[in-house]
Amino acid sequence: MFNEFKTFIMRGNVLDLAIAVIIGAAFGKIVTSLTDDILMPLIGKIFGGLDFSSYFIRLGEVPTTYSGSLSDYAGLKKAGVPLLGYGEFITQAVNFVIIAFIIFLIIRAVNRLMPKPEVAAPAAPVEPADVTLLREIRDSLQSRSV
């Protein structure tokens, strides 16, 4: 069983997938930072201090032991208050769109760099042997009659 597992793991597809997942996770962190630290603050500045991460709806009561701000999404969430965090959803949706667009650009660039397979010119149709023989007989008979 160990040898089968070793063979399975050493196949190229599994290694490629593992590498892709690791690179994808690192890429996701970069895009998250791009969104949280650069794009969302710029969007907030353009729209007058708008901070998407602080947009939420409280769905339950705040525990009496909670001493933080009622507008602190992270604090309320940590305290166990049920929240509908639509601002966080907007942030994640923007992350997704950025990642999808970057992947689109990468695939587009790779497709342009990859050599296109050459299309071979269609070969002349091959005549069946009996048709060739009949054609030769016809030609021979025409040359005798002249």
Side-chain angles (χ1 to χ4, degrees):
M1 184 162 91
F2 178 73
N3 286 334
E4 286 180 71
F5 179 70
K6 184 175 152 186
T7 303
F8 171 75
I9 289 297
M10 296 309 289
R11 288 192 341 208
N13 295 350
V14 175
L15 291 175
D16 291 346
L17 180 61
I19 292 168
V21 167
I22 293 168
I23 290 174
F27 185 69
K29 288 180 182 179
I30 291 171
V31 172
T32 299
S33 176
L34 173 70
T35 304
D36 293 345
D37 301 330
I38 296 173
L39 292 179
M40 286 305 186
L42 286 174
I43 291 171
K45 182 73 172 169
I46 292 170
F47 290 103
L50 187 64
D51 179 18
F52 287 109
S53 64
S54 66
Y55 282 11
F56 62 92
I57 298 173
R58 233 175 339 151
L59 300 175
E61 294 299 317
V62 178
T64 55
T65 58
Y66 180 70
S67 60
S69 170
L70 293 178
S71 63
D72 181 17
Y73 177 74
L76 288 169
K77 191 171 183 178
K78 190 174 186 179
V81 178
L83 302 171
L84 179 67
Y86 63 90
E88 185 63 26
F89 176 76
I90 291 170
T91 301
Q92 294 304 322
V94 169
N95 279 348
F96 172 77
V97 169
I98 291 169
I99 289 172
F101 183 69
I102 291 172
I103 289 172
F104 165 75
L105 291 177
I106 290 170
I107 290 173
R108 187 173 172 215
V110 167
N111 285 340
R112 286 184 177 177
L113 292 175
M114 297 290 289
K116 293 185 171 79
E118 292 183 23
V119 179
V126 178
E127 235 174 39
D130 57 344
V131 173
T132 305
L133 182 60
L134 288 171
R135 196 176 304 274
E136 288 173 1
I137 293 170
R138 183 197 68 198
D139 294 343
S140 175
L141 289 174
Q142 283 178 346
S143 66
R144 283 189 191 167
S145 64
V146 176

